[in-house]
């Protein structure tokens, strides 16, 4: 889960420092030595002892100083918000920036990706899934010899070969330095004096030097003197231990610090703390005001209360791609959740939380068809942990399964448009498990069915797709739902398109388009139907018809600010421009298409555009660069669910590029340039594809003045497409 702003360290997704890392030099060096000798190192310790901070510091050191050992990068997987074991492997795939549209098990995808990599995987917050995480890490280490894992948790993974690094609280001087640094950050006027030093040292000792406890105490030094803080802590310890002084178990010291912070909060602050515990990961102020406000907590007071909790180190403010967010440390959140349960208000707050994210998903679906499309994608990405909680809340209650169907279906744009097919299918299938649904909620079930059919089609699972779409079509006919019927017919036409049955695709897509128009439906799906109809016409040789349809889509998209569907229209327009010999226009159209598909992690659109762009590059005379692009594009098909690699129509540009570039370069040189392309990362590939011929300088070895290769027109009939 990407919960915090990313560093610029190449090959790493490590968050920026929330505050200056103080002390721990010896532990950091020892951890580095353990990583040199062991492939699995687990940092253990009580909550709040600083495991995560040390883990990230070690990861940064590895990213900046071990380029040879971790030449494929350092990746962080934060698992604290993952509750469902089925999502564990998807969370690791997300951390590794893996986009896979196939029906392959996520574990298989992980193993295949990591098998040849030299990479450090950093895993934090696995306690709630320790057995499942141990099983996954064991297999990854066994099958991926270049992989090393650095983990942090309250207990080890208990695997053979694991080096366990128990983390104790910092030494007394480091604890004092941390307390002073955090107190100064909260109040710049704070200073250590001859009068208060002894009290501060005693305060650190009473809190057993636990960093989280010290940070909570530092937040109180804004308003209380060190003597007052120590006195209040003494009272609290006496209550817990019956007045007996002496060493305290560290978990009790931390709980004491949190409980004492809780007692020092105002009633309104305590209430907000408890209610905030229903969130997972990050959340914004709007969500807090909706979920947590009420007659006993006026909405106009929420902002100030959030500020107070932040000042007391109970909330952390973070910048994200979707704007300012807040986050509660897991230990603090769990304490608040206990209070919420004791208040008897947990169920109501979870439903409020669910309702907010139902509303957010509805708004995002509407806003997807707007200039804010990319912002919507970033927003759902940041809110994913809370969206998952909302889905769980819906599906845990049998009487509310229809809400789960609605939410999973409404997120179609995220599952299909942002590379989340596997997770989307997981939630859709769970939501559709109840066989008997009340008639008044039939529309939610029909929506989930056509979205499942869409997702399964994009994964290349034609049988599952058709089963869902036929059920949707029949249900729509019985319930008199013309919009659901149109979506079902549309996706059947899409399946025909990718199955090379162009005549049937033309018929079904044309019918769906008529049904959409009759129902007054207009959104990205409707425009995609028009583009897909344009593709079918282009492949059948009707380029004027394809141009008319896709040109209209392009105009509507530019008017509405829609980019995702526009990319597919640009593909068809680029196809037609290349067929007419207008290579400069084709390049301009296709590079824009590549850029958009890359932003939205759309592998299908990206690989199709890259292969057509490679053919354009041959037509421009740079056969070597075309071979590089082709070599880089071909491995991407492993992550694409649709079996377009074997399609006579969609496969034609690849075959023509290979034939023409191979003829100009010779088999040996073509193979060498193709192998060069296979080594490119996706980022490097996209950057190369977006460069102009002048920027490349024609360095491929075949002079650009060689002119247009023989027969560079794209085939517009099946007979031409089947040529070797």
């Amino acid at each position: 889960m990407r919960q915090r702003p990313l560093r610029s360290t190449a090959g790493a997704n490590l968050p920026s420092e929330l505050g200056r890392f103080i002390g721990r030099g010896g532990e950091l060096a020892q951890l580095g030595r353990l990583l040199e000798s062991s492939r699995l190192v687990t940092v253990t310790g009580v909550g709040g002892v600083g495991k995560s901070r040390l883990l990230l510091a070690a990861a940064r050191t590895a990213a900046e100083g071990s380029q040879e050992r971790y030449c494929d990068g350092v990746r962080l997987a934060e698992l604290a918000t993952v509750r469902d074991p089925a999502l564990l492997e998807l969370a690791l795939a997300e951390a590794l920036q893996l986009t896979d549209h196939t029906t392959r098990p996520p574990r298989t995808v992980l193993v295949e990706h990591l098998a040849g990599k030299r990479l450090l995987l950093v895993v934090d917050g696995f306690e709630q899934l320790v057995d499942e995480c141990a099983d996954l890490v064991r297999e990854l280490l066994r099958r991926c010899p270049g992989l090393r894992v650095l983990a942090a948790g309250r207990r080890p993974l208990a695997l053979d070969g694991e080096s366990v690094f128990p983390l104790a609280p910092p030494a007394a001087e480091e604890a004092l330095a941390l307390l002073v640094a955090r107190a100064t950050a909260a109040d710049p006027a704070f200073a250590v004096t001859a009068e208060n030093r002894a009290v501060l040292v005693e305060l650190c000792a009473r809190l057993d030097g636990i960093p989280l406890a010290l940070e909570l105490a530092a937040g109180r030094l804004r308003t209380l003197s060190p003597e007052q803080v120590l006195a209040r802590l003494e009272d609290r310890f006496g209550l817990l231990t019956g007045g007996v002084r002496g060493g305290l178990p560290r978990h009790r010291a931390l709980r004491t610090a949190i409980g004492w912070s809780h007692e020092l909060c105002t009633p309104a602050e305590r209430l907000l703390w408890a209610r905030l515990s229903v969130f997972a990961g990050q959340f914004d102020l709007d969500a807090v005001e909706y979920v947590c406000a009420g007659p006993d907590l006026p909405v106009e007071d929420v902002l100030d209360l959030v500020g107070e909790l932040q000042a007391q180190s109970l909330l952390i403010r973070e910048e994200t791609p979707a704007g300012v967010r807040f986050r509660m440390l897991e230990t603090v959140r769990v304490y608040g959740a206990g209070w919420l349960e004791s208040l008897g208000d947990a169920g109501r707050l979870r439903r409020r939380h669910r309702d907010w994210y139902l509303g957010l998903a509805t708004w995002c679906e509407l806003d997807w068809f707007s200039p804010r499309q990319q912002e919507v994608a970033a927003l759902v990405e940041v809110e994913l942990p809370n969206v998952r909680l909302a889905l769980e809340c819906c599906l845990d209650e049998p009487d509310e399964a229809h809400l789960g169907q609605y939410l999973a279906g409404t997120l179609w744009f995220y599952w299909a448009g942002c590379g989340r097919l596997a997770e989307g299918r997981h939630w859709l299938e769970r939501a559709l498990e109840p066989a008997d649904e009340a008639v008044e909620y039939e529309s939610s079930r029909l929506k989930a069915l056509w979205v499942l059919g869409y997702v399964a089609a994009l994964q290349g699972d034609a049988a599952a797709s058709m089963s869902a779409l036929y059920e949707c079509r029949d249900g729509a006919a019985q319930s008199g739902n013309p919009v659901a019927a149109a979506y079902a017919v549309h996706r059947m036409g899409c399946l025909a398109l990718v199955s090379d049955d162009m005549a049937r695709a033309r018929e079904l897509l044309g019918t769906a388009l008529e049904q959409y128009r009759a129902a007054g439906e207009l959104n990205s799906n409707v425009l995609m139907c028009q583009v897909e109809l344009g593709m079918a016409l282009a492949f059948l040789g009707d380029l004027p018809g394809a141009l008319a349809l896709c040109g209209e889509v392009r105009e509507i998209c530019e008017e509405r600010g829609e980019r995702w569907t526009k990319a597919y229209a640009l593909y068809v327009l680029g196809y037609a421009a290349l067929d007419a010999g207008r290579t400069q226009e084709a390049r301009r159209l296709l590079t824009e298409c590549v850029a958009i598909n890359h932003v939205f992690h759309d592998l299908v659109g990206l690989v199709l555009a890259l292969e057509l762009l490679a053919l354009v590059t041959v037509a421009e005379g740079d056969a070597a660069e075309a071979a590089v692009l082709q070599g880089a594009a071909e491995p991407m098909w492993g992550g694409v669910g649709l079996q377009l690699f074997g399609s006579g129509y969609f496969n034609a540009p690849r075959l023509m590029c290979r034939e023409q570039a191979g003829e100009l370069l010779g088999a040996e040189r073509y193979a060498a340039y193709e192998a060069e392309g296979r080594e490119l990362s996706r980022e490097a590939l996209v950057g190369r594809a977006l460069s102009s011929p002048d920027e490349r300088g024609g360095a491929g070895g075949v002079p650009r003045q060689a002119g247009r290769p023989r027969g560079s027109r794209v085939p517009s009939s099946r007979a031409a497409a089947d040529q070797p």
Side-chain angles (χ1 to χ4, degrees):
M1 282 74 295
R2 189 173 299 144
Q3 294 187 6
R4 284 167 279 185
L6 303 185
R7 280 175 59 94
S8 60
T9 304
N13 64 334
L14 306 178
S16 57
E17 291 272 18
L18 294 176
R20 184 166 62 89
F21 187 68
I22 297 171
R24 298 293 200 186
E27 291 93 334
L28 195 57
Q30 188 178 352
L31 198 55
R33 289 191 293 271
L34 276 178
L35 271 174
E36 291 179 2
S37 59
S38 176
R39 294 181 59 212
L40 171 61
V41 179
T42 304
V43 180
T44 62
V46 298
V49 79
K51 298 185 297 295
S52 295
R53 286 235 168 157
L54 182 65
L55 190 79
L56 291 174
R60 291 188 188 95
T61 301
E64 294 165 357
S66 302
Q67 297 297 332
E68 184 176 344
R69 169 163 290 168
Y70 308 122
C71 55
D72 291 303
V74 177
R75 307 299 302 180
L76 169 66
E78 294 182 290
L79 304 179
T81 62
V82 180
R83 308 280 194 269
D84 186 344
L87 301 179
L88 173 62
E89 289 152 349
L90 293 175
L92 260 63
E94 176 188 351
L96 293 166
Q97 293 184 316
L98 283 178
T99 303
D100 187 86
H101 291 346
T102 70
T103 56
R104 294 180 300 169
R107 182 170 298 202
T108 300
V109 175
L110 285 170
V111 169
E112 290 182 2
H113 174 76
L114 292 171
K117 296 284 193 299
R118 300 180 67 181
L119 181 141
L120 177 63
L121 178 61
V122 184
V123 179
D124 193 16
F126 59 78
E127 284 88 355
Q128 74 284 4
L129 297 171
V130 63
D131 292 334
E132 295 84 355
C133 190
D135 179 67
L136 177 57
V137 169
R138 179 191 296 112
E139 183 168 359
L140 292 178
L141 288 172
R142 181 174 61 85
R143 299 180 61 182
C144 309
L147 176 68
R148 289 176 186 254
V149 177
L150 175 61
R154 298 191 185 187
R155 52 178 286 191
L157 288 167
L159 297 177
D160 291 341
E162 179 181 25
S163 293
V164 179
F165 185 82
L167 184 62
E173 283 301 315
E174 287 188 357
L176 178 60
L178 176 62
L179 176 64
V180 172
R182 299 301 184 246
T184 304
D187 179 10
F190 179 84
V192 181
T193 67
E195 291 75 20
N196 68 18
R197 181 181 177 85
V199 177
L200 293 172
V201 169
E202 176 67 10
L203 181 58
C204 292
R206 296 302 292 155
L207 292 174
D208 210 7
I210 295 176
L212 177 56
L214 295 174
E215 297 207 15
L216 294 175
R220 285 298 172 185
L221 288 171
R222 291 186 316 133
T223 53
L224 299 175
S225 71
E227 292 80 6
Q228 288 174 314
V229 171
L230 181 60
R232 289 170 182 265
L233 269 180
E234 290 284 1
D235 291 343
R236 179 75 180 180
F237 276 125
L239 179 65
L240 284 178
T241 61
V244 179
R245 288 180 59 89
L248 286 168
R250 284 171 181 150
H251 70 275
R252 188 179 298 173
L254 175 61
R255 187 166 181 82
T256 297
I258 296 177
W260 166 74
S261 288
H262 189 264
E263 289 173 2
L264 290 180
C265 287
T266 65
E269 290 167 359
R270 288 199 292 268
L271 185 58
L272 180 58
W273 178 351
R275 291 179 177 179
L276 288 174
S277 69
V278 299
F279 289 98
Q282 297 169 326
F283 45 86
D284 68 2
L285 184 61
D286 289 339
V288 174
E289 289 176 338
Y290 178 86
V291 175
C292 301
D296 48 357
L297 193 64
V299 68
E300 58 269 19
D301 294 346
V302 168
L303 176 58
D304 289 339
L305 293 171
V306 165
E308 284 300 314
L309 293 179
Q310 182 189 345
Q312 297 166 42
S313 300
L314 296 165
L315 279 181
I316 298 170
R317 180 185 185 276
E318 298 177 337
E319 296 284 347
T320 77
V324 173
R325 288 291 188 278
F326 297 93
R327 181 172 59 88
M328 186 173 278
L329 292 178
E330 185 65 11
T331 308
V332 175
R333 189 198 68 79
V334 169
Y335 191 94
W339 273 89
L340 189 64
E341 290 288 348
S342 69
L343 293 172
D345 207 18
R348 184 184 71 85
L349 264 293
R350 290 191 190 107
R351 290 189 294 275
R352 291 280 292 176
H353 175 277
R354 175 207 64 199
D355 292 345
W356 172 260
Y357 287 99
L358 281 168
L360 183 72
T362 301
W363 174 83
C364 285
E365 182 188 31
L366 294 172
D367 230 28
W368 181 256
F369 189 47
S370 80
R372 293 175 293 279
Q373 198 170 58
Q374 191 170 342
E375 296 170 30
V376 167
L379 175 60
V380 180
E381 183 82 8
V382 168
E383 295 286 11
L384 187 57
N386 284 301
V387 169
R388 288 168 174 163
L389 271 188
L391 282 161
E392 288 283 2
C393 182
C394 296
L395 300 177
D396 284 346
E397 298 294 331
D399 293 340
E400 295 184 345
H402 64 283
L403 293 176
Q405 293 166 1
Y406 173 82
L407 181 52
T410 297
L411 290 166
W412 66 266
F413 63 91
Y414 186 63
W415 313 137
C418 300
R420 292 282 186 174
L421 297 179
E423 179 160 357
R425 185 162 179 179
H426 166 77
W427 291 116
L428 288 159
E429 289 180 338
R430 275 196 62 187
L432 287 164
E433 282 175 2
D436 299 322
E437 189 59 59
V439 174
E440 62 265 34
Y441 303 128
E442 179 68 5
S443 61
S444 294
R445 182 171 181 82
L446 293 177
K447 184 169 190 175
L449 281 168
W450 74 252
V451 176
L452 175 59
Y454 182 21
V455 166
L458 291 175
Q459 289 186 303
D461 190 346
S465 177
M466 288 305 294
S467 175
L469 293 175
Y470 276 127
E471 185 177 350
C472 178
R473 184 195 62 181
D474 294 345
Q478 292 172 9
S479 61
N481 190 326
V483 174
Y487 279 104
V489 173
H490 172 189
R491 295 308 166 194
M492 290 177 185
C494 180
L495 267 178
L497 179 72
V498 299
S499 302
D500 278 1
D501 190 348
M502 294 303 154
R504 179 165 172 77
R506 177 176 57 186
E507 175 188 353
L508 289 171
L509 293 168
T511 299
L513 200 55
E514 291 174 1
Q515 292 175 332
Y516 281 140
R517 288 169 176 165
E521 192 85 348
L522 179 62
N523 55 34
S524 297
N525 278 301
V526 175
L527 294 181
M528 188 66 81
C529 180
Q530 190 164 329
V531 171
E532 289 162 350
L533 179 57
M535 284 185 183
L537 294 180
F539 291 144
L540 291 170
D542 183 5
L543 286 175
L547 283 169
L549 285 171
C550 293
E552 182 182 14
V553 169
R554 182 185 184 185
E555 290 177 5
I556 296 173
C557 287
E558 290 176 348
E559 177 185 332
R560 298 294 188 108
E562 211 278 4
R563 300 177 65 209
W564 177 63
T565 308
K566 178 185 175 182
Y568 282 88
L570 294 173
Y571 172 81
V572 178
L573 295 173
Y575 181 100
L578 177 59
D579 185 81
R582 301 191 301 273
T583 55
Q584 190 173 12
E585 179 186 351
R587 170 169 291 280
R588 178 173 50 80
L589 293 164
L590 291 169
T591 52
E592 185 180 357
C593 178
V594 166
I596 295 171
N597 284 319
H598 181 56
V599 165
F600 290 109
H601 308 292
D602 190 327
L603 275 191
V604 176
L606 181 59
V607 71
L608 289 175
L610 285 168
E611 290 193 334
L612 193 54
L613 187 59
L615 187 56
V616 170
T617 307
V618 174
E620 292 171 335
D622 197 345
E625 183 65 17
V628 171
L629 292 177
Q630 190 62 63
E634 286 195 18
M636 292 173 60
W637 283 103
V640 175
L642 287 171
Q643 299 303 306
L644 299 181
F645 192 87
S647 164
Y649 293 98
F650 290 101
N651 200 35
R654 178 189 316 110
L655 296 178
M656 292 184 67
C657 178
R658 182 180 296 162
E659 176 188 358
Q660 294 174 13
E663 182 180 322
L664 289 167
L665 293 168
E668 186 175 340
R669 292 180 68 207
Y670 179 85
Y673 284 118
E674 194 176 45
E676 178 186 335
R678 290 196 191 97
E679 297 301 316
L680 292 176
S681 67
R682 192 173 302 166
E683 290 288 342
L685 168 60
V686 170
R688 193 153 177 166
L690 298 182
S691 64
S692 68
D694 290 336
E695 290 171 329
R696 294 196 309 269
V702 176
R704 206 169 281 123
Q705 59 266 30
R708 181 176 172 183
R710 171 182 57 81
S712 60
R713 287 189 53 169
V714 183
S716 12
S717 69
R718 182 59 192 265
D722 284 338
Q723 62 181 319

